[in-house]
Amino acid sequence: MQTALDCLPCLLRQALFAGRTAGADKAVLRVIVQEAAALLAKADLSLSPPENAAPLYRLIAQRTGASDPFARLKRESNEQAAAMTRNIRQWLMQEDAPLRTALILTIAGNVMDYGSPHGLDPADFLARCRQTPLALDHTNALLADLAAARSVLVLADNCGEILFDALLLELLADKRLWLAVKSRPVINDATKDDALALGLDRLAEVIANGTDIPGTALHRCSPAFAEVFRQADVVISKGQGNFETLCDTERQVYFLFTVKCAVVAGHLAERTGKRFATGDMILARNNWPRQRLPRG
Amino acid sequence: MQTALDCLPCLLRQALFAGRTAGADKAVLRVIVQEAAALLAKADLSLSPPENAAPLYRLIAQRTGASDPFARLKRESNEQAAAMTRNIRQWLMQEDAPLRTALILTIAGNVMDYGSPHGLDPADFLARCRQTPLALDHTNALLADLAAARSVLVLADNCGEILFDALLLELLADKRLWLAVKSRPVINDATKDDALALGLDRLAEVIANGTDIPGTALHRCSPAFAEVFRQADVVISKGQGNFETLCDTERQVYFLFTVKCAVVAGHLAERTGKRFATGDMILARNNWPRQRLPRG
């Protein structure tokens, strides 16, 4: 999808928020925000929002002098998610349909972001996930495709969340698995270093996509990544940034994410004829042009 | 007060909203938003937010080709306010303390903005105004100063709202009265044409302040306005834009407005040691450096 006009004020707000999170002092923040405004003044709005976000995060790294300004935040969310998933894993494996539940959990992992509580009771957490129906629900189609698949590519999104994706990978251990991450730090997105530090290479082949864009902009990705993207039997895409960059791609992709803004809600509505709101949980494949999604 | 970093994304959002309200099509809107971003990239943040907003509104007027892009909106809010105040006036004049009530009404006029309902029952409306306590309340000081004053300057804010200010002017008919408006259209702020069309020159001497800044930036105002500002016994300033530009001025000013953003809430909190939220109604004089405002 293209960058909407409403994305520009939001991207400027994000740059300020990210600069603060990265620990920039007021003088540096001022430079960041005004240089971000200058970048947005010349942004190519035919590109996706994550492609226009990437230069802003490069600017923050440059102006704060930190190669990974969000390192601490990433570490904290990994620790938080690790504490949660330790309990949830055991509970999950006793479920009647663990794979279906694991899919919902990975979407919930995208909901939680930074604000998730420590020491959550896993049964409570799962019950809450189940009580919230998916606003678009192609779970049955994904489960059927997974049953027939020999290989699966999971496009990771954030640190923290990636440990919920790991629960899913554990349940797909009979297949060839790839876990795609970013080549260089951007916001709290997982990189290869992050994935290896969490031992995720024991569950899947961890591949970097060749970019520092907070999404998967295919035309900017490495040939090696593009080849895996082409040949995997099933592609599971996590998070809104991956949706924004891939929703109009040719190949079938399953998008698992939480709607985080009105622009994406509107984009989904255009494709499906259904209304969406911020916070809606989505599990949907992208064959909208060929087949109208159900309204239900 | 100076422009905060958080003002920049907000000003960009306002430019987009204002461009849409002014009826710009998507191509023009795109130019407006990206040119607004370029202006913000070079904005002088030592100036007040309204001073940095003014060039954005000039841009909207220029790009939409309309000398007053908000003319229709201004007309509608005048009609709406006129319908309300017709009923309220009669009710107000039977009050025990009509002047005190009229002051609250003018603050409520600043709350209402565009979304106020037609045909509101005046008793209901006044009851609701009274039920909401002022978050800063120097009404007694203002009433005492008004009792002793021979001349009063009211700095007007928006169309619509200005008809509530007129109720106040009617109750001050024994004094020399000035009503200050903008010299050229900016957003929905009242101009001399607007004030004359509403017959407000029968209640006060209508003077333009010499600018198209949505506030009162004294160093940019005309000498004639500055002289009135200096010599008036009491100055009543309506709306947040006038507060943002005048809160640090030397002379005593009474600010009547509704808090519309976290930046202004924070600025008030710094001055008073009290917490404020968006939507809070304020009637306060600006002698914060000399005298701490009460916490109550």
Side-chain angles (χ1 to χ4, degrees), chain A residues 10-64:
Chain A
C10 181
L11 285 168
L12 192 57
R13 188 183 52 72
Q14 284 178 48
L16 179 57
F17 176 77
R20 283 194 178 118
T21 307
D25 67 21
K26 200 180 165 187
V28 172
L29 266 184
R30 178 177 166 158
V31 171
I32 287 172
V33 176
Q34 292 204 280
E35 288 189 354
L39 288 170
L40 292 169
K42 294 179 178 179
D44 178 352
L45 303 189
S46 71
L47 298 177
S48 64
E51 286 169 275
N52 279 316
L56 306 185
Y57 288 100
R58 277 176 220 137
L59 169 69
I60 291 163
Q62 188 189 343
R63 291 299 181 187
T64 59

Side-chain angles (χ1 to χ4, degrees), chain B residues 97-286:
Chain B
L99 189 54
R100 182 182 288 270
T101 306
L103 289 170
I104 297 176
L105 277 175
T106 69
I107 304 175
N110 188 239
V111 182
M112 295 189 316
D113 263 317
Y114 318 142
S116 56
H118 286 270
L120 201 65
D121 180 77
D124 276 0
F125 178 66
L126 281 174
R128 265 199 287 155
C129 289
R130 285 222 189 80
Q131 279 159 17
T132 311
L134 299 178
L136 268 181
D137 189 355
H138 295 174
T139 308
N140 289 341
L142 174 53
L143 288 171
D145 281 354
L146 284 174
R150 283 180 306 176
S151 63
V152 178
L153 165 63
V154 174
L155 307 175
D157 187 13
N158 304 316
C159 285
E161 175 180 349
I162 201 171
L163 284 164
F164 285 83
D165 305 336
L167 295 177
L168 176 64
L169 293 171
E170 289 179 36
L171 293 167
L172 299 172
D174 58 328
K175 304 177 194 307
R176 177 161 189 192
L177 299 175
W178 294 277
L179 179 67
V181 294
K182 309 303 185 293
S183 287
R184 292 175 295 285
V186 57
I187 331 178
N188 60 333
D189 283 29
T191 61
K192 202 159 188 174
D193 284 350
D194 297 322
L196 297 185
L198 294 167
L200 300 184
D201 54 325
R202 291 195 299 270
L203 300 172
E205 185 180 341
V206 177
I207 54 167
N209 72 4
T211 81
D212 63 352
I213 292 165
T216 304
L218 277 179
H219 62 286
R220 307 279 294 279
C221 289
S222 66
F225 170 83
E227 177 55 25
V228 172
F229 184 81
R230 197 192 58 75
Q231 72 165 259
D233 290 336
V234 172
V235 174
I236 292 176
S237 161
K238 290 290 318 286
Q240 183 169 297
N242 284 327
F243 173 79
E244 290 173 50
T245 40
L246 283 174
C247 58
D248 300 321
T249 197
E250 286 292 308
R251 82 150 286 167
Q252 179 170 283
V253 175
Y254 284 93
F255 294 100
L256 281 63
F257 69 107
T258 310
V259 177
K260 296 198 176 159
C261 72
V263 169
V264 166
H267 193 82
L268 279 169
E270 269 178 35
R271 292 292 186 282
T272 62
K274 202 185 158 196
R275 285 174 157 274
F276 295 91
T278 302
D280 277 354
M281 305 205 328
I282 306 291
L283 192 165
R285 59 180 176 202
N286 61 337

Side-chain angles (χ1 to χ4, degrees), chain A:
Chain A
M1 59 183 276
Q2 298 190 335
T3 299
L5 294 176
D6 294 276
C7 296
L8 298 187
C10 181
L11 285 168
L12 192 57
R13 188 183 52 72
Q14 284 178 48
L16 179 57
F17 176 77
R20 283 194 178 118
T21 307
D25 67 21
K26 200 180 165 187
V28 172
L29 266 184
R30 178 177 166 158
V31 171
I32 287 172
V33 176
Q34 292 204 280
E35 288 189 354
L39 288 170
L40 292 169
K42 294 179 178 179
D44 178 352
L45 303 189
S46 71
L47 298 177
S48 64
E51 286 169 275
N52 279 316
L56 306 185
Y57 288 100
R58 277 176 220 137
L59 169 69
I60 291 163
Q62 188 189 343
R63 291 299 181 187
T64 59
S67 61
D68 188 356
F70 301 92
R72 191 172 65 91
L73 182 75
K74 287 161 68 169
R75 200 168 47 243
E76 285 171 4
S77 46
N78 281 339
E79 286 165 9
Q80 201 165 21
M84 289 179 74
T85 51
R86 261 195 296 279
N87 297 324
I88 288 173
R89 178 185 296 103
Q90 199 178 356
W91 201 86
L92 182 65
M93 299 312 170
Q94 297 162 1
E95 284 264 285
D96 287 339
L99 190 54
R100 181 182 288 271
T101 306
L103 290 170
I104 297 175
L105 277 176
T106 69
I107 303 174
N110 189 237
V111 182
M112 296 188 316
D113 263 317
Y114 316 142
S116 55
H118 288 270
L120 203 63
D121 180 77
D124 276 2
F125 178 66
L126 282 173
R128 264 200 285 155
C129 288
R130 286 223 189 77
Q131 279 159 17
T132 313
L134 299 177
L136 268 180
D137 189 355
H138 294 173
T139 308
N140 289 341
L142 174 53
L143 288 172
D145 281 354
L146 284 174
R150 283 181 304 174
S151 64
V152 179
L153 166 63
V154 174
L155 307 175
D157 188 13
N158 303 318
C159 284
E161 174 179 351
I162 201 171
L163 284 164
F164 285 84
D165 305 337
L167 295 176
L168 176 64
L169 294 171
E170 288 180 36
L171 293 167
L172 299 172
D174 59 327
K175 305 176 193 309
R176 176 162 190 189
L177 300 175
W178 294 277
L179 180 66
V181 293
K182 308 305 186 291
S183 288
R184 291 175 296 283
V186 57
I187 331 177
N188 59 336
D189 283 28
T191 63
K192 204 159 186 174
D193 284 350
D194 297 322
L196 297 185
L198 295 167
L200 300 183
D201 53 326
R202 290 195 299 270
L203 301 172
E205 185 181 341
V206 178
I207 54 169
N209 73 5
T211 80
D212 64 350
I213 293 163
T216 305
L218 279 179
H219 63 285
R220 306 279 295 279
C221 290
S222 67
F225 171 82
E227 178 54 25
V228 173
F229 184 81
R230 196 192 59 73
Q231 70 165 261
D233 290 337
V234 172
V235 174
I236 293 176
S237 160
K238 291 291 316 289
Q240 182 169 298
N242 285 326
F243 173 79
E244 290 173 49
T245 39
L246 283 174
C247 59
D248 299 322
T249 198
E250 285 292 308
R251 83 149 287 166
Q252 180 170 284
V253 175
Y254 285 94
F255 294 100
L256 280 64
F257 68 107
T258 310
V259 177
K260 296 196 176 160
C261 72
V263 170
V264 165
H267 193 80
L268 278 168
E270 269 179 33
R271 292 293 187 283
T272 62
K274 203 184 155 193
R275 283 175 160 272
F276 295 91
T278 301
D280 278 355
M281 305 205 327
I282 305 291
L283 192 164
R285 58 181 178 203
N286 62 336
N287 43 356
W288 2 78
R290 293 178 294 275
Q291 180 194 318
R292 288 297 257 193
L293 295 182
R295 285 184 172 253

Side-chain angles (χ1 to χ4, degrees), chain A residues 6 16 20 34 37-38 40-41 43, chain B residues 6 16 20 29 34 37 40-41 43:
Chain A
D6 294 276
L16 179 57
R20 283 194 178 118
Q34 292 204 280
L40 292 169
Chain B
D6 294 276
L16 179 58
R20 283 196 177 116
L29 265 184
Q34 292 204 281
L40 293 170

